[in-house]
Amino acid sequence: MATLDKIDRRLLAELQSEGRVTNVELAQRVGLTAPPCLRRVRALEEAGVIRGYHADLDASKLGFAITVFAMVSLKSQAEEDLRGFEEHIKTLPEVRECHMLNGEIDFILKIVSQDLQSFQEFLTSKLTPAPNVASVKTSLTIRTAKHDPGVPLE
């Protein structure tokens, strides 16, 4: 875990909420001048604390009307089989997140799709027949009550 002081945490909180803020504005918000602010941000990037900057896209405005969570159980939990499944999932752009779990379910996937028909095609042609898949249970998202990317910093 990185050792962060109060200013680093404030920088991260500001960048997490508004990644496009200018260095000058960021420096003002955290009480620094621009040069040391930029040095700190670059140090956080080099340390891997900041992994990148992303736009928050509205999936529905881009034609992805549904989000589905899929709980996947595998036939084998051998490390080679787990990695094989993960590599397969990385090739599927519809799968936006993939998390390995402990317990009865091996993986939970967050999947976006244009509509139910396209999701069904994805499910039956790409996910269910994937190597080592024993079962897939899906739940369609009705609404999202909270969506806060990142981590709590303050």
Side-chain angles (χ1 to χ4, degrees), residues 14-69:
E14 291 292 337
L15 287 169
Q16 186 171 254
S17 69
E18 187 182 349
R20 291 187 63 184
V21 65
T22 66
N23 182 59
V24 171
E25 175 66 23
L26 180 61
Q28 289 173 347
R29 291 181 190 181
V30 301
L32 293 174
T33 59
C37 180
L38 185 58
R39 280 194 296 274
R40 281 178 175 259
V41 170
R42 287 200 174 135
L44 291 165
E45 291 169 346
E46 289 170 10
V49 175
I50 298 173
R51 295 186 300 191
Y53 300 88
H54 309 278
D56 185 8
L57 306 179
D58 186 327
S60 64
K61 289 183 179 175
L62 295 168
F64 296 95
I66 64 170
T67 300
V68 178
F69 287 92

Side-chain angles (χ1 to χ4, degrees), residues 72 74 76-92 98 100 107 109 126-127 129-133:
V72 180
L74 302 181
S76 165
Q77 288 74 33
E79 188 61 32
E80 182 178 317
D81 294 324
L82 295 170
R83 290 194 191 283
F85 178 77
E86 291 169 339
E87 290 305 313
H88 175 70
I89 291 303
K90 289 177 184 177
T91 69
L92 305 175
C98 173
M100 186 176 169
F107 289 92
L109 312 177
K126 295 180 181 176
L127 186 56
N132 197 35
V133 171

Side-chain angles (χ1 to χ4, degrees), residues 92 108 148:
L92 305 175
I108 186 166
D148 276 343

